[in-house]
Amino acid sequence: MAKSPNSEDAKPTMKETQSPPPSGPEATASDAKPAIPASTDTSTPAPTTTDISTSTSASASTDAKAALAARMARFKALQTAKESGRKATEREVRDAEDRSQRLAQLSKLSAANEKASYKLLKADDPDFERKRNWDYTVEESESWDKRQAKKARNRDGNAFADYRGEASKVYKRQVRQLGSVDLEEYAARKGERLQQQVQSGLLQLVETDDGDVFTIDKQGRINTPVEEGYTHDHKPSKEAVDKLVDDLEKGERARLKARAARGVNDDDGGDVTYINQKNKQFNEKLARFYNRYTTEIRESFERGTAI
């Protein structure tokens, strides 16, 4: 089949499709500055997103490690301070205990030394007591004898005699524990009360020829306030209230201590045959006198062989 000449004309050759090279000034410019491909660039490449995130995470991990190390160092310092404080406290407590023990031992040693020296001097010199009494006056000797007699009476009076004697001993002990009384304040309060009763007509004011002034009541008592009904207008001082509270608390502590001691003594491990302390004492007294006669009978009852 013969080809038509039109088909050959429709397919132009390579030479026909290429554009002719530029001429003139355009050709000179293109020849002078040729294009440089991207692969031939020798400069430092720009950092990518992955490199930036890696560097950020590395710096963050470094900061976290530094903060953790600082916290651990502070924690160790606190532990060291705590341990040193505990050791110092224990050392002070031991020193205080040892100090009290040393003082007690020193006092015991000094007392033993005084007793030993007294015995040695008394053994060496038969007239030691008489010579030692030369240094005391008659008043000091009498005062010493009175104190010794009073101690002997108190020692003998410790046993229970009757409830009146017990109440008297308690009263005297409480009076001794009251301490010193402010006599000036007492005299001032008494003078104010006497003046008020003179003004109210309960007392009569009398003046002697020598110029002495005193009060007298209907019964003839001098400078003695008349007993009146309590008007609830007296306000004691804070010191007096504190003293009263301390005295009441001291008595309560003594009662609790005596009660605890009685409870300890009651728990003797034997059979409980009493209902209170007085009943226990009565049963013990009966046991002292009659146990010698009733032991066999009681044991027979306990064995179940009693007739």
Side-chain angles (χ1 to χ4, degrees):
M1 183 176 180
K3 297 181 180 179
S4 60
N6 296 331
S7 61
E8 295 177 358
D9 298 334
K11 295 181 178 179
T13 61
M14 183 63 66
K15 293 180 180 181
E16 293 177 352
T17 57
Q18 292 178 352
S19 58
S23 60
E26 296 179 358
T28 305
S30 61
D31 293 340
K33 295 182 179 178
I36 300 175
S39 59
T40 60
D41 191 4
T42 59
S43 61
T44 304
T48 59
T49 306
T50 305
D51 297 336
I52 294 174
S53 61
T54 304
S55 61
T56 304
S57 61
S59 60
S61 63
T62 304
D63 296 340
K65 289 180 180 179
L68 179 61
R71 287 196 296 270
M72 289 299 297
R74 185 180 178 187
F75 179 69
K76 290 181 179 179
L78 292 174
Q79 282 185 332
T80 304
K82 177 184 176 182
E83 188 68 19
S84 62
R86 183 182 63 82
K87 290 181 179 179
T89 303
E90 291 179 354
R91 192 183 309 109
E92 290 179 359
V93 170
R94 287 196 301 269
D95 292 342
E97 293 177 353
D98 296 340
R99 190 182 305 112
S100 61
Q101 293 177 359
R102 287 196 299 270
L103 291 176
Q105 291 177 358
L106 288 175
S107 62
K108 289 181 180 180
L109 290 175
S110 62
N113 187 15
E114 290 178 359
K115 290 181 180 179
S117 61
Y118 172 74
K119 289 181 179 179
L120 289 174
L121 292 173
K122 190 174 181 181
D124 295 339
D125 190 0
D127 295 336
F128 172 73
E129 290 289 344
R130 186 171 62 85
K131 292 179 180 179
R132 190 179 66 167
N133 291 332
W134 290 350
D135 298 333
Y136 301 109
T137 61
V138 176
E139 291 79 5
E140 291 176 349
S141 179
E142 291 178 352
S143 176
W144 173 258
D145 293 338
K146 289 181 180 179
R147 287 200 301 269
Q148 294 300 319
K150 187 176 181 180
K151 285 183 179 180
R153 290 194 303 270
N154 293 334
R155 194 182 307 112
D156 297 336
N158 286 332
F160 177 81
D162 54 359
Y163 289 103
R164 180 175 296 178
E166 287 294 317
S168 176
K169 288 193 295 184
V170 171
Y171 173 75
K172 290 180 180 179
R173 183 174 65 249
Q174 290 178 349
V175 169
R176 287 195 303 269
Q177 293 174 355
L178 287 176
S180 59
V181 180
D182 192 355
L183 298 179
E184 295 181 358
E185 183 180 1
Y186 173 76
R189 290 181 178 274
K190 184 178 179 181
E192 292 177 359
R193 188 175 180 184
L194 290 174
Q195 185 177 1
Q196 292 175 0
Q197 291 184 356
V198 168
Q199 294 176 356
S200 61
L202 296 175
L203 295 176
Q204 184 180 0
L205 192 64
V206 178
E207 184 177 0
T208 61
D209 298 337
D210 297 336
D212 297 334
V213 179
F214 58 90
T215 62
I216 187 172
D217 59 357
K218 296 179 180 179
Q219 298 178 0
R221 296 179 301 180
I222 299 174
N223 290 336
T224 302
V226 179
E227 295 293 337
E228 297 179 287
Y230 189 67
T231 57
H232 303 279
D233 57 350
H234 174 67
K235 185 177 181 181
S237 61
K238 185 177 182 302
E239 292 77 9
V241 174
D242 294 341
K243 190 174 182 180
L244 176 62
V245 171
D246 294 339
D247 185 61
L248 293 176
E249 291 179 351
K250 186 177 180 180
E252 185 65 22
R253 287 195 297 269
R255 283 191 292 271
L256 293 176
K257 185 177 180 180
R259 184 182 302 173
R262 287 196 300 268
V264 171
N265 295 332
D266 290 344
D267 190 11
D268 53 1
D271 297 333
V272 179
T273 60
Y274 50 88
I275 59 175
N276 52 31
Q277 188 69 18
K278 289 294 181 182
N279 183 236
K280 179 185 177 182
Q281 294 175 0
F282 182 74
N283 292 344
E284 290 176 350
K285 187 181 294 185
L286 290 178
R288 285 197 299 270
F289 288 102
Y290 296 103
N291 266 2
R292 69 183 75 176
Y293 308 112
T294 60
T295 301
E296 185 178 356
I297 299 173
R298 186 171 59 253
E299 290 178 354
S300 298
F301 272 109
E302 291 176 354
R303 291 194 303 265
T305 59
I307 300 175

